[in-house]
Amino acid sequence: MAYHWQSHNVKTSGVDDMVLLQKISEGSIVENLKKRFMEDCIYTYIGPVLVSVNPFKQLNIFTDRHIDIYQGAAQYENAPHVYALTDNMYRNMLIEMENQCVIISGESGAGKTVAAKYIMGYIAKVSGGGPLVQRVKDVILESNPLLEAFGNAKTVRNNNSSRFGKYVEIQFSRGGEPDGGKISNFLLEKSRVVSQNAHERSFHIFYQLIAGATPQLKENLGLTMPDYYYYLNQSGTYSVDGMNDVQEFQDTLRAMQVIGIPEENQNDVLAIVAGILHLGNISFVEDGNYARIASDDFLAFPAFLLGIDSEMLRDKLTGRIMDSKWGGKTETIEMKLNVEQAVFTRDALAKAVYLRLFDYLVMSVNIAMQKEIEEVNIGILDIYGFEIFQKNGFEQFCINYVNEKLQQIFIELTLKAEQEEYVQEGIKWTAIDYFNNKIVCDLIEAKNPPGIMSILDDVCATMHAVSEGADSKLMNKLSMAVGTHNHFQGTSTGFVIHHYAGKVTYDVDGFCERNRDVLFSDLIQLMQSSQSDFIEKLFPEDVSATTRGRPTTASTKIRTQANKLVTTLMKCTPHYIRCIKPNETKRAKDWEDSRVKHQVEYLGLKENIRVRRAGFAFRREFLKFLKRYAILTPETYPSWQGDPRRGITHLMESVNMDRDQFQMGKSKVFIKNPESLFLLEEVRERKFDSFARVIQKAYRKHHAVRLNQKKREEASDILFNKKNRRRHSINRNFVGDYIGLDNCPELRALVGRRERIEFADTVNKYDRRFKSVKRDLLLTGKMLYMIGLEVIKKGPDKGKKILVVKRHIPLDQITSIGLSTMQDDFFLVNVQNDYSSLLESVFKTEFLTTLFKRYKDAVSRPLTIHFSDSLDFPVKKEGWGGGGNRQLKFVAGSGDVAVLKPSSKTLIISIGPGLPKDTRPGLKRPVSNGAPYRPAGRSAPPPVRGVASRGPAPNRPAPRISSSAAPPPPISNPPSRSHVKRQSSIELQDKILKQRSRTKASDKMPSLPRDGAQRMAKKLNQAILNNNNEYLATPDAGVAGMQRQKRISAKPTPAGGKPRPGLKPKPKLPQCKCLYAYDAQDTDELSFNTGDIIDIVKEDSAGWWQGKLRGKEGLFPANYVEKL
């Protein structure tokens, strides 16, 4: 059986899978998580569920090395990690061709967004693909900094809190390449644009723009210090620990480039962000019961940036046009607003513009990676966490409602549905009780009887233009409709809901107005009058058309989105990450037991462990199981004929799986332990591996035949019609290494470290007197080496022969190669301004072919080859000798072996005729019985004797050829990250400024008022000093917690009142204790850790005993154990 990672001398802390805890209680779960957290082991399993604790620091466990470790590995092989869950999800998608999803849940600040980033990063690393796929990967990865800049903010609970929900679908081809995607966003907390709680910030983009803009861009956008703007100075917080707004602004600009947002639109995006800030500085004063702009100086800049008329902006902020219907007639009435209404109108405009800008960015991301046909996908749900603030408004109500729905999904699929499945399939099962939060979901969203959202919509439907008294009316209606509900409680300013995660007190002030979410037609017309085409297109409504029926409220939208999301998730195979926040200080190594215990309780981790421990790790329909594992036996492959139950039993017996490790249901097979499933997978992988080797062997052989044919043809082109050919050289395969370099490290040591040897052969080298000596000829991409033996003349090794480089010639110094027109094996290497080398090799054709290629690569011109039966060449000067020239003469003789006759300065070489000069190589006949084909009457060429005997020359494997087809044409064309030049923030902003100067050339830039909105924030800042942090404490568990505790305390009668049986008899089999850890080397062996107890089935003098451990029987080494 395959090994477990904990048996490999890995430092372990606590239990890596809490199903293995000795005692199942909230206390033991918290203690185990704490022990691992303190050792930086932030991930823990509950079966397939991953529990993640936020470390509040960077850990070195997300490197490329870790990706390599987890890729393709089974879950048990390595320590718990988000990469293991992601790899399992990715492989399941490819195996089953079914959609997968991962639901990341937890309260605000628990690390959900970071987990989603690591999942996307892992998928991008391990999935292949061409340019289209790479572009999709780039868009997926770059969407994170862009949407975080516009959708995340600092809260008191989280420095990078997602203030919107998103469900990212990464779409894949059938081969597993990500070739498309889609992002669905939910409920942006747009109220954060205009107001924030104490110690919080608005969305990151506002602070990034102020900190990262160049002086020129700041001047164009009217930017100064953040406390100048009313929309930013209310909380008194402008920076975040560990966050560099300047660097992140550059990342945001780069992300817009990669995603493919045009530069002119990038300019408009930044102008809108700045325009919203200036819009917030417009204040109002009372003037005869009506509102008047306090200072006209603050009108100019927002009007300039948004491309609208300043006077029209004044009119729309202080007045409103109403249509009155009476007696079938419609009358237009111009209404003046009071200060409160004017402030509401200003804020409504700012929120609407920002929301539509955010929707545009999401749409841009989707366009950049859209795909026409969806095949299979992985969904990643990263949504705002459950949160409690000092003042909880409508947004917190919606956020906590969505988290309530996600908790319900987890309960439905991991606790409720799993137990129901066992009963339906006839599996023996004892029910495990748990708290089902459906009662809370119904309280919020039910229509009959009406829940809170339905009552809220009814109140909003009766509201008129003025919303005074609506919130009080809501409180009264709630009190009458749901006042007696166990999970609801009314207060003087709002109401309390007993959520699954604790009691939350909501303030109803502004509930109705925010739920109604109406943007008056005056403001739509104002923005449609903008000179900016971009801004005008953000408001496409037809305000002249009459609308019938109720307008859709915010609560209806989020309820519809949440139910649609649940439907989408239920169609996928779900995976879960349960994120836990260890403290409220946001510091590493800080652990609050009460806070973690509260999260463990409301997340239902204890019940989850109990179900996993009592249940089955794996279940699959009979036919699907047979299809996946049919390859294990000849009887089941390619398909099993007969009863599926018998086929499955046959498969289990073939891998020696114990009968207690699986059960047959009515339509599914259930496997108890993950190790048993891993055994099946390992045997299956081995089968595929053996078949793959057969296929690879056949392909490599086919490829080698084609490659050698191509090489022979190239060699033939060089010598065609110029030189007679030897019969045995025409159809010979090219090996390259005729020395056996793998067995000669001393030869490799004489060549440059990074030089690859292309050709190696032992040749005859002739000196100035035409005497021959053996040389090892090595050809690399840069140099030609001639290596020979030399006797040491001095020192302790005197008389010893060693290999030395006798001559090395750079390829660019070779002027030409000289050959005869006959079938001999001689060739001259002519060198610029130096002597020539006369060499003889039976593999000259292969050498010339390789040299011809490498020479052309090195000097970018073809090698000159001279063919003549009379060759003159210079020789090396030796001692007092004169050097000078020598001559080769080739004459016709008889036979295939050259006869040499030296005569003074001339060497006469005679040889018989070979094959004609126009001979071409033909296809070789196939090899039979392992013996190469040779023409009749011809023997193979004699083996070449080298400097020393070095064994057979190795075979070189064929290179891999890519078989992937060209990708389809792209749907959209944003530039890839690799093609986007890494520009500085200044360069990016200069391009935006140039674009802005072209579009605003005719507009005169207004001046920025000296005093901003600092005075407007003084009272609010005083409130910060009196801030109360009690709400940051561990929340009251409320009624939901009481019901959980009641289920714990209400213990059932032991064994249902049945009499207690006697103690089990002691095991009859002898036992032994393991002294050392051992990893199974084959499927019939046992793996064990130090201290494990094995039941001995059979002892054998050979040293391998047979035993049982954890339900599996197999062999183990006797010298690793001690008999008890």
Side-chain angles (χ1 to χ4, degrees):
M1 187 173 178
Y3 64 88
H4 189 285
W5 69 275
Q6 286 192 340
S7 67
H8 277 253
N9 298 322
V10 179
K11 182 181 179 182
T12 61
S13 301
V15 178
D16 67 302
D17 190 335
M18 290 193 287
V19 172
L20 303 177
L21 282 173
Q22 290 184 348
K23 182 182 178 183
I24 306 176
S25 66
E26 276 87 1
S28 60
I29 295 171
V30 171
E31 185 60 32
N32 187 65
L33 292 174
K34 180 180 180 180
K35 190 182 295 183
R36 295 176 63 78
F37 172 78
M38 291 302 180
E39 296 292 338
D40 291 336
C41 300
I42 64 171
Y43 295 116
T44 310
Y45 290 131
I46 300 178
V49 177
L50 183 69
V51 180
S52 170
V53 183
N54 191 344
F56 289 109
K57 67 176 183 179
Q58 291 293 327
L59 297 178
N60 190 32
I61 58 172
F62 304 102
T63 62
D64 288 346
R65 175 179 161 271
H66 287 87
I67 290 176
D68 293 338
I69 289 172
Y70 285 93
Q71 185 177 0
Q75 178 177 306
Y76 71 96
E77 290 187 30
N78 300 296
H81 203 290
V82 67
Y83 287 167
L85 179 139
T86 309
D87 190 75
N88 182 43
M89 180 168 58
Y90 179 67
R91 283 189 292 139
N92 281 352
M93 179 196 70
L94 295 179
I95 291 168
E96 305 293 344
M97 289 312 292
E98 294 176 353
N99 293 342
Q100 311 284 311
C101 70
V102 55
I103 302 172
I104 310 172
S105 58
E107 62 184 52
S108 182
K112 299 182 297 300
T113 300
V114 173
K117 287 183 189 175
Y118 286 135
I119 291 171
M120 287 187 269
Y122 182 88
I123 291 173
K125 282 282 187 181
V126 302
S127 53
L132 171 64
V133 170
Q134 186 58 46
R135 197 180 74 244
V136 171
K137 290 180 183 179
D138 293 343
V139 172
I140 291 170
L141 296 178
E142 289 294 341
S143 68
N144 285 320
L146 180 64
L147 297 185
E148 281 188 21
F150 285 85
N152 287 28
K154 170 186 164 48
T155 68
V156 291
R157 294 188 176 275
N158 185 0
N159 287 346
N160 187 32
S161 177
S162 297
R163 308 316 298 165
F164 73 107
K166 68 176 177 181
Y167 183 61
V168 181
E169 291 179 80
I170 305 175
Q171 297 162 357
F172 294 84
S173 67
R174 299 187 71 85
E177 295 92 2
D179 56 356
K182 182 172 67 176
I183 295 178
S184 304
N185 62 302
F186 311 96
L187 187 69
L188 178 73
E189 189 193 22
K190 58 185 178 181
S191 63
R192 185 165 291 273
V193 173
V194 300
S195 64
Q196 308 89 39
N197 292 327
H199 304 300
E200 297 189 349
R201 294 204 316 179
S202 185
F203 294 104
H204 293 323
I205 186 60
F206 294 111
Y207 307 91
Q208 290 179 10
L209 180 59
I210 291 172
T214 60
Q216 295 85 356
L217 187 59
K218 284 185 178 181
E219 183 181 352
N220 271 265
L221 299 180
L223 297 176
T224 178
M225 302 303 291
D227 63 354
Y228 179 86
Y229 305 99
Y230 175 65
Y231 281 165
L232 302 184
N233 65 19
Q234 300 174 51
S235 66
T237 301
Y238 307 110
S239 60
V240 180
D241 293 338
M243 188 173 289
N244 185 337
D245 288 324
V246 176
Q247 178 59 47
E248 297 204 1
F249 182 57
Q250 181 173 353
D251 294 341
T252 302
L253 294 179
R254 176 173 164 77
M256 285 197 282
Q257 271 196 310
V258 171
I259 287 166
I261 297 176
E263 287 177 9
E264 59 270 22
N265 289 1
Q266 294 178 37
N267 161 49
D268 290 320
V269 168
L270 299 183
I272 289 174
V273 173
I276 290 172
L277 292 179
H278 288 289
L279 192 63
N281 279 3
I282 300 174
S283 59
F284 307 92
V285 294
E286 192 91 17
D287 185 8
N289 294 329
Y290 297 116
R292 175 173 59 82
I293 303 291
S295 174
D296 290 348
D297 294 343
F298 289 99
L299 281 171
F301 238 109
F304 168 72
L305 293 172
L306 298 177
I308 56 180
D309 181 68
S310 59
E311 288 301 317
M312 189 175 181
L313 177 60
R314 179 209 304 274
D315 294 341
K316 298 301 182 183
L317 293 182
T318 57
R320 185 178 304 156
I321 295 176
M322 303 290 293
D323 290 335
S324 175
K325 292 184 179 181
W326 184 261
K329 295 182 180 180
T330 302
E331 184 180 356
T332 301
I333 302 172
E334 188 171 339
M335 186 179 77
K336 291 288 185 182
L337 306 180
N338 60 29
V339 171
E340 182 184 353
Q341 292 169 337
V343 169
F344 174 82
T345 302
R346 177 201 66 193
D347 292 347
L349 177 61
K351 291 187 290 185
V353 172
Y354 192 84
L355 175 63
R356 295 182 186 223
L357 174 61
F358 185 79
D359 288 341
Y360 162 78
L361 295 175
V362 174
M363 181 188 70
S364 298
V365 174
N366 286 336
I367 290 174
M369 56 182 182
Q370 67 183 350
K371 180 182 175 184
E372 291 182 356
I373 301 173
E374 293 187 18
E375 293 174 275
V376 67
N377 68 65
I378 289 177
I380 304 166
L381 180 62
D382 173 24
I383 208 156
Y384 20 56
F386 187 89
E387 59 189 20
I388 304 174
F389 294 131
Q390 187 174 17
K391 180 180 178 181
N392 302 288
F394 178 74
E395 284 78 11
Q396 279 66 50
F397 172 74
C398 293
I399 287 170
N400 292 342
Y401 158 69
V402 174
N403 278 271
E404 200 80 53
K405 292 289 287 184
L406 292 183
Q407 176 68 4
Q408 190 183 8
I409 290 179
F410 184 79
I411 288 171
E412 283 284 336
L413 296 181
T414 62
L415 300 178
K416 184 173 182 286
E418 183 165 346
Q419 296 193 72
E420 289 176 351
E421 183 181 39
Y422 294 144
V423 175
Q424 291 168 2
E425 288 287 326
I427 302 296
K428 189 176 179 181
W429 181 257
T430 303
I432 294 172
D433 205 4
Y434 58 91
F435 169 68
N436 191 339
N437 73 325
K438 186 176 186 301
I439 188 173
V440 184
C441 293
D442 290 342
L443 166 65
I444 298 172
E445 68 175 1
K447 293 183 178 180
N448 189 21
I452 295 173
M453 285 184 169
S454 295
I455 296 167
L456 178 59
D457 286 349
D458 287 340
V459 173
C460 291
T462 60
M463 283 176 60
H464 300 289
V466 182
S467 60
E468 285 89 346
D471 294 332
S472 300
K473 186 178 179 181
L474 171 65
M475 287 180 61
N476 293 332
K477 282 205 166 192
L478 288 174
S479 179
M480 289 187 291
V482 296
T484 58
H485 198 287
N486 286 339
H487 291 260
F488 180 89
Q489 181 183 340
T491 67
S492 59
T493 58
F495 57 89
V496 175
I497 295 180
H498 295 254
H499 288 283
Y500 78 100
K503 287 169 56 177
V504 181
T505 302
Y506 296 101
D507 191 332
V508 297
D509 183 30
F511 245 70
C512 294
E513 196 60 66
R514 288 177 179 176
N515 180 57
R516 190 164 61 155
D517 197 28
V518 174
L519 185 64
F520 291 106
S521 58
D522 300 60
L523 300 180
I524 296 174
Q525 290 173 342
L526 172 67
M527 300 314 296
Q528 287 177 346
S529 69
S530 173
Q531 296 176 4
S532 167
D533 292 338
F534 178 80
I535 295 175
E536 183 185 356
K537 289 175 183 176
L538 293 180
F539 293 83
E541 295 94 332
D542 183 4
V543 294
S544 62
T546 57
T547 56
R548 295 182 178 273
R550 290 185 184 181
T552 306
T553 62
S555 62
T556 300
K557 289 176 184 174
I558 193 63
R559 180 172 56 194
T560 303
Q561 287 178 328
N563 288 318
K564 184 179 178 182
L565 174 64
V566 169
T567 303
T568 301
L569 296 175
M570 296 293 256
K571 291 178 181 177
C572 303
T573 302
H575 305 261
Y576 305 95
I577 300 179
R578 309 291 265 170
C579 296
I580 288 179
K581 187 177 183 182
N583 59 65
E584 278 296 340
T585 60
K586 307 184 188 78
R587 291 201 302 261
K589 302 288 185 182
D590 190 3
W591 184 270
E592 298 176 20
D593 278 331
S594 61
R595 178 172 298 282
V596 176
K597 185 178 180 183
H598 176 68
Q599 293 173 75
V600 167
E601 287 176 354
Y602 74 66
L603 289 173
L605 299 189
K606 186 183 77 170
E607 290 80 5
N608 192 201
I609 293 172
R610 291 179 63 198
V611 171
R612 294 309 304 179
R613 178 178 281 191
F616 294 82
F618 176 83
R619 76 283 323 268
R620 189 60 51 88
E621 291 91 344
F622 290 152
L623 295 180
K624 283 189 175 181
F625 185 89
L626 279 171
K627 182 179 178 182
R628 176 153 184 80
Y629 299 107
I631 198 171
L632 300 190
T633 68
E635 293 81 5
T636 54
Y637 188 80
S639 62
W640 170 261
Q641 303 298 324
D643 182 10
R645 294 168 179 267
R646 290 185 58 195
I648 293 171
T649 304
H650 173 73
L651 284 174
M652 298 303 192
E653 291 173 350
S654 72
V655 295
N656 298 321
M657 186 179 292
D658 286 347
R659 193 64 185 81
D660 61 357
Q661 285 298 299
F662 67 96
Q663 279 194 47
M664 298 286 190
K666 294 178 181 178
S667 62
K668 295 180 181 179
V669 57
F670 293 80
I671 295 178
K672 185 76 176 173
N673 293 325
E675 289 82 0
S676 300
L677 176 64
F678 299 148
L679 170 64
L680 285 168
E681 286 293 321
E682 185 175 346
V683 177
R684 181 176 179 271
E685 287 294 325
R686 290 185 182 183
K687 287 283 186 181
F688 273 113
D689 182 68
S690 64
F691 294 155
R693 289 175 186 274
V694 173
I695 296 170
Q696 287 176 345
K697 183 178 179 181
Y699 173 75
R700 284 175 176 168
K701 179 180 177 182
H702 167 77
H703 178 77
V705 169
R706 294 293 182 189
L707 190 64
N708 276 294
Q709 177 65 17
K710 183 180 177 182
K711 287 182 177 179
R712 289 193 295 270
E713 289 173 356
E714 290 173 349
S716 176
D717 291 341
I718 296 174
L719 305 178
F720 189 69
N721 281 333
K722 296 173 183 174
K723 185 175 176 67
N724 288 344
R725 304 296 304 277
R726 281 190 180 273
R727 286 174 176 80
H728 62 257
S729 72
I730 286 292
N731 288 309
R732 187 183 60 79
N733 288 340
F734 290 176
V735 176
D737 178 11
Y738 297 95
I739 293 176
L741 291 173
D742 288 341
N743 300 319
C744 299
E746 67 275 12
L747 273 180
R748 285 189 176 275
L750 297 174
V751 178
R753 181 177 295 179
R754 297 184 181 275
E755 287 188 82
R756 180 186 174 193
I757 299 174
E758 304 282 349
F759 178 84
D761 181 30
T762 300
V763 301
N764 292 322
K765 181 255 179 186
Y766 291 85
D767 62 10
R768 58 201 298 270
R769 296 181 182 86
F770 303 121
K771 291 183 179 179
S772 69
V773 63
K774 294 294 182 182
R775 292 285 186 264
D776 286 336
L777 181 68
L778 305 181
L779 174 62
T780 71
K782 299 178 180 178
M783 203 79 67
L784 183 65
Y785 294 90
M786 296 178 200
I787 298 170
L789 289 172
E790 189 173 276
V791 179
I792 299 176
K793 298 179 180 179
K794 295 181 181 179
D797 294 329
K798 182 179 179 180
K800 183 179 178 181
K801 293 182 178 181
I802 60 170
L803 289 172
V804 295
V805 177
K806 292 290 188 177
R807 188 178 190 187
H808 61 279
I809 307 170
L811 295 191
D812 58 359
Q813 296 298 310
I814 297 176
T815 57
S816 64
I817 300 293
L819 297 109
S820 74
T821 63
M822 300 185 180
Q823 65 160 333
D824 60 278
D825 294 324
F826 289 87
F827 59 93
L828 274 171
V829 180
N830 299 314
V831 183
Q832 185 177 358
N833 300 324
D834 205 347
Y835 64 95
S836 300
S837 290
L838 175 59
L839 306 174
E840 182 187 18
S841 170
V842 294
F843 304 117
K844 66 180 183 310
T845 304
E846 182 177 349
F847 169 75
L848 284 174
T849 306
T850 308
L851 177 63
F852 194 84
K853 289 181 181 178
R854 297 297 159 254
Y855 184 86
K856 190 171 183 179
D857 292 340
V859 301
S860 301
R861 66 172 183 271
L863 176 66
T864 302
I865 301 178
H866 295 298
F867 295 89
S868 175
D869 290 337
S870 178
L871 298 172
D872 293 332
F873 62 97
V875 293
K876 183 179 180 182
K877 182 178 179 181
E878 294 180 0
W880 296 99
N885 291 338
R886 297 293 184 269
Q887 187 180 44
L888 295 178
K889 282 192 175 181
F890 297 87
V891 296
S894 61
D896 292 337
V897 179
V899 178
L900 310 184
K901 185 178 180 181
S903 175
S904 184
K905 295 184 178 182
T906 301
L907 177 65
I908 300 172
I909 304 169
S910 65
I911 191 168
L915 295 175
K917 296 178 181 180
D918 59 355
T919 304
R920 284 285 194 183
L923 284 172
K924 290 186 70 176
R925 297 184 188 178
V927 176
S928 59
N929 300 325
Y933 166 80
R934 295 190 183 99
R938 291 288 178 185
S939 61
V944 181
R945 295 179 182 177
V947 177
S949 177
R950 300 189 178 97
N955 291 324
R956 187 165 296 176
R960 294 194 300 174
I961 303 296
S962 174
S963 60
S964 59
I971 298 168
S972 58
N973 294 292
S976 171
R977 281 198 299 182
S978 58
H979 295 104
V980 173
K981 181 185 175 185
R982 175 62 75 173
Q983 295 172 297
S984 68
S985 180
I986 296 175
E987 291 174 317
L988 292 170
Q989 293 179 54
D990 283 345
K991 294 173 73 174
I992 293 174
L993 270 174
K994 290 177 182 176
Q995 185 64 41
R996 180 161 187 79
S997 62
R998 288 196 293 270
T999 57
K1000 293 284 184 179
S1002 59
D1003 294 347
K1004 183 180 179 182
M1005 185 182 300
S1007 58
L1008 190 67
R1010 178 178 298 178
D1011 297 323
Q1014 295 92 335
R1015 57 182 176 76
M1016 298 166 65
K1018 286 181 180 177
K1019 293 180 181 178
L1020 292 164
N1021 287 336
Q1022 185 62 39
I1024 292 172
L1025 299 175
N1026 304 324
N1027 192 28
N1028 179 358
N1029 289 334
E1030 289 181 3
Y1031 65 95
L1032 291 176
T1034 303
D1036 186 342
V1039 172
M1042 291 170 58
Q1043 292 179 353
R1044 283 193 294 265
Q1045 290 299 324
K1046 190 180 293 184
R1047 284 179 167 82
I1048 295 170
S1049 58
K1051 296 181 179 178
T1053 305
K1058 295 178 182 177
R1060 175 184 163 189
L1063 293 174
K1064 287 185 177 180
K1066 292 183 179 180
K1068 297 179 182 178
L1069 294 173
Q1071 294 182 321
C1072 59
K1073 183 178 180 181
C1074 303
L1075 302 176
Y1076 315 101
Y1078 177 73
D1079 303 327
Q1081 306 299 313
D1082 210 335
T1083 55
D1084 59 352
E1085 295 179 13
L1086 293 177
S1087 291
F1088 49 82
N1089 295 323
T1090 305
D1092 283 350
I1093 303 298
I1094 301 178
D1095 294 331
I1096 303 173
V1097 176
K1098 182 180 179 182
E1099 298 181 29
D1100 196 310
S1101 58
W1104 286 92
W1105 293 359
Q1106 189 171 350
K1108 280 188 176 182
L1109 176 65
R1110 289 190 285 272
K1112 183 179 187 299
E1113 187 172 323
L1115 299 173
F1116 63 94
N1119 59 340
Y1120 273 54
V1121 301
E1122 177 183 51
K1123 198 168 180 181
L1124 297 178

